Amino acid sequence: MSRLSIRTRLTAWYAGALAVGLGGLAATSYWAVHRSLHAAVDAGLRGRLEGTRQFIAQQLPGHSVRQITDEFQDHLVLALGPGFSLIQVCDSTGTVLYQADLFREAGVPPPLPDALPAMPQYEEARVAGRQLRMVTTRLDVEGRRFGVRLATLTDDIELALDSLRGPVFLLAPIVLAFAWIGGYWISALALRPVDTMTGAVQQITSRSLAQRLAVPSTGDELQRLAETLNSMLDRLDAAFRQIGRFTADASHELRTPVTLIRTSAELALRKTRTLDEYRQTLTDIALDAERMSMLVEDLLTLARADQDMGALPLAPIDLSALLRTTAPEAEQRAHSCGLEFSLCLPAMPLIVFGDTSVLQRLMTILTDNACKYTPPPGRIEWCVYSSDDTATIDVRDTGIGVAPDERARIFERFYRTDAARARDSGGTGLGLSIAHSIVTQHRGSIVAEGTGARGSVFRVTLPVAARRIHPLGVSPA
Ligand code: ADP
């Protein structure tokens, strides 16, 4: 992991990119100037090569080698232009027709024509401390072959190129130093809001989750970051409040049976009681203890579900078969509450991904509720059907129903409607929360609906793993 701060890394990237850009630009400009200067020199050399060829062609007829040499001495400047004398010419026997002083003094060997290629060879050379651009070639004139070397002094050009190189090397470190300082300053400026945000987030603790970050209206990444952090704080705040509420509710619900147990025991111990009185007290205590253990069991179920969300091992199961085997127990429960029970199932298997015992628990919760909140005479009905990719289980009853504005809230932990409290059904207010968590673990949904007349429908929808039923093929139980 890099230990450098974003600020340093940004600056380094910026300076690096600038160095590469500047280097590339300087190298390209230098190369372009170098090329154009040498192209101009080469063009001059080409012209003079042609001049030399014409000069030899004019002088050749009727002149001996000696005479041609003299002509070179006398008319070279006229033939090739003023200020131009760097030339070396020899014939195929190696006789030097003309040789500039510079070449002679430096001992440059004559260009023997037979050893030269037909195409002119351009090169740079340093001769007697002078910088030259040379062309060497052979010329065939009137059936005779000559070797020619022409050169131009390029000291001035090299001087000009040097003066171009100098500032680049000198200025580059200065420009880069300014770029580094500027980049560091700009990135510090750009990252300052992030520092401010970090400071503000550090101030937020579990006790001050209501605090929010100031959102800059810049429409950029920083605004998005502040909004994202704020929405995360919203979720954390809501979760913390929910946990707090849950703990308070759980303590409150546990306090009632504990108080009742304590009071019963203390009253019984105040004086000597008859055997029947002791039996009654112990029965009361056992009932309260049972209620307490049910509550603790429910709390544990929810705590585990919260912890292992999504960890339930799901396998393909036939929902119709599952409900068919669970129905007799539900029917018995309904009858014990003085209610009728009916079941409608598809004729064919309906495969969903699920956990058999957990889905049985779901059906028990919904049926127990239907029993608790349906005064006899009444009816409970399980109905299963499928549509497209979902399997639906309806648990209907003809009971007290749930007011529309309470239908969403009854799935909250410890939430009980006033009508339910009035019935004192002995519920803990956690049954539907557990049902909701079971359905969520099965990637499904659960809603409460009205039936139009009396009663309610709890509709569980689960995704189908494989569809093997005729949509209308239902078989009554
Ligand atoms: P409880 O232990 O109170 O039954 P639940 O979580 O199972 O807790 O249900 C929450 C509330 O939803 C109940 O208190 C009741 O008000 C309402 N409720 C649940 N099932 C039914 C039903 N079949 N008919 C009417 N109200 C219901």
Side-chain angles (χ1 to χ4, degrees):
M1 204 180 74
S2 170
R3 284 171 185 279
L4 295 175
S5 67
I6 291 184
R7 188 177 173 186
T8 313
R9 273 182 284 156
L10 267 180
T11 311
W13 272 107
Y14 169 62
L18 194 75
V20 171
L22 277 181
L25 189 71
T28 315
S29 322
Y30 179 82
W31 177 78
V33 173
H34 183 279
R35 219 177 107 96
S36 81
L37 287 175
H38 280 95
V41 170
D42 288 354
L45 284 173
R46 258 195 310 280
R48 281 161 179 159
L49 202 58
E50 181 54 25
T52 307
R53 200 187 64 73
Q54 284 174 9
F55 180 78
I56 295 172
Q58 277 169 16
Q59 300 302 325
L60 203 56
H63 283 93
S64 67
V65 168
R66 176 80 235 158
Q67 285 167 321
I68 294 172
T69 302
D70 291 343
E71 288 302 323
F72 260 113
Q73 300 281 17
D74 297 344
H75 300 295
L76 190 70
V77 172
L78 273 180
L80 301 182
F84 185 82
S85 59
L86 291 177
I87 180 167
Q88 220 180 5
V89 185
C90 73
D91 66 8
S92 50
T93 62
T95 309
V96 176
L97 272 64
Y98 180 78
Q99 174 156 245
D101 293 345
L102 186 71
F103 289 143
R104 190 176 35 253
E105 283 158 18
V108 177
L112 291 174
D114 292 335
L116 293 173
M119 291 300 290
Q121 298 289 299
Y122 291 88
E123 59 189 322
E124 280 167 55
R126 217 170 164 78
V127 176
R130 306 300 299 271
Q131 191 63 33
L132 301 179
R133 177 81 178 159
M134 297 197 300
V135 60
T136 317
T137 190
R138 67 171 191 235
L139 294 177
D140 291 313
V141 185
E142 311 255 331
R144 287 176 67 184
R145 182 165 279 186
F146 298 90
V148 179
R149 176 173 288 127
L150 292 169
T152 299
L153 283 170
T154 54
D155 293 324
D156 289 351
I157 292 177
E158 291 309 318
L159 221 62
L161 288 174
D162 274 353
S163 65
L164 199 67
R165 264 195 308 261
V168 170
F169 285 120
L170 194 76
L171 278 178
I174 298 171
V175 170
L176 281 180
F178 272 110
W180 183 277
I181 295 166
Y184 202 66
W185 180 69
I186 289 169
S187 48
L189 220 62
L191 291 171
R192 191 171 297 157
V194 177
D195 280 344
T196 315
M197 250 181 245
T198 310
V201 172
Q202 276 167 351
Q203 301 297 314
I204 298 174
T205 65
S206 59
R207 290 178 185 284
S208 55
L209 275 177
Q211 230 171 291
R212 293 291 174 270
L213 304 178
V215 180
S217 13
T218 44
D220 58 8
E221 291 85 350
L222 288 172
Q223 183 176 349
R224 274 209 307 284
L225 179 65
E227 284 168 353
T228 309
L229 285 173
N230 276 348
S231 75
M232 188 186 73
L233 284 170
D234 285 345
R235 290 195 297 277
L236 279 178
D237 194 17
F240 261 70
R241 278 175 201 277
Q242 196 188 356
I243 291 169
R245 229 177 12 242
F246 183 55
T247 314
D249 288 345
S251 320
H252 179 77
E253 292 291 326
L254 279 171
R255 201 170 57 186
T256 312
V258 169
T259 311
L260 285 175
I261 288 172
R262 221 179 102 189
T263 315
S264 303
E266 280 172 359
L267 276 177
L269 288 172
R270 240 178 229 172
K271 59 178 185 170
T272 311
R273 309 273 175 185
T274 63
L275 200 61
D276 279 350
E277 282 174 327
Y278 280 129
R279 186 168 286 128
Q280 184 57 47
T281 306
L282 284 174
T283 310
D284 291 347
I285 288 175
L287 272 175
D288 287 328
E290 191 190 324
R291 185 174 144 71
M292 214 164 77
S293 83
M294 262 166 52
L295 182 63
V296 170
E297 202 56 48
D298 284 354
L299 285 173
L300 215 67
T301 307
L302 280 172
R304 284 205 193 108
D306 284 350
Q307 201 134 43
D308 310 330
M309 218 13 135
L312 194 67
L314 304 179
I317 53 170
D318 178 4
L319 195 62
S320 309
L322 170 81
L323 296 195
R324 201 172 290 118
T325 50
T326 318
E329 206 181 306
E331 190 168 14
Q332 224 172 9
R333 173 90 171 98
H335 288 167
S336 73
C337 302
L339 305 172
E340 283 176 40
F341 180 83
S342 66
L343 171 71
C344 62
L345 289 177
M348 308 273 284
L350 178 54
I351 311 297
V352 297
F353 281 112
D355 180 297
T356 305
S357 63
V358 176
L359 284 178
Q360 275 170 341
R361 173 102 201 262
L362 168 72
M363 297 311 291
T364 306
I365 292 171
L366 297 179
T367 310
D368 275 355
N369 276 353
C371 272
K372 278 191 285 184
Y373 303 111
T374 307
R379 174 182 187 78
I380 299 174
E381 186 182 20
W382 285 5
C383 202
V384 177
Y385 51 95
S386 76
S387 62
D388 295 334
D389 301 331
T390 55
T392 306
I393 311 169
D394 276 357
V395 177
R396 302 163 194 263
D397 63 51
T398 53
I400 60 172
V402 186
D405 56 330
E406 291 187 301
R407 284 180 194 155
R409 296 206 63 193
I410 53 175
F411 295 97
E412 289 174 19
R413 293 169 189 193
F414 293 112
Y415 186 82
R416 306 187 69 207
T417 63
D418 289 340
R421 284 179 201 282
R423 283 181 64 82
D424 191 20
S425 60
T428 58
L430 290 177
L432 285 183
S433 306
I434 295 174
H436 185 268
S437 126
I438 290 173
V439 175
T440 309
Q441 282 176 306
H442 282 78
R443 299 184 196 102
S445 64
I446 179 168
V447 288
E449 291 185 1
T451 56
R454 283 175 67 223
S456 31
V457 184
F458 283 84
R459 179 158 299 145
V460 175
T461 310
L462 300 173
V464 167
R467 215 162 149 259
R468 292 195 212 141
I469 61 163
H470 189 280
L472 299 174
V474 290
S475 69

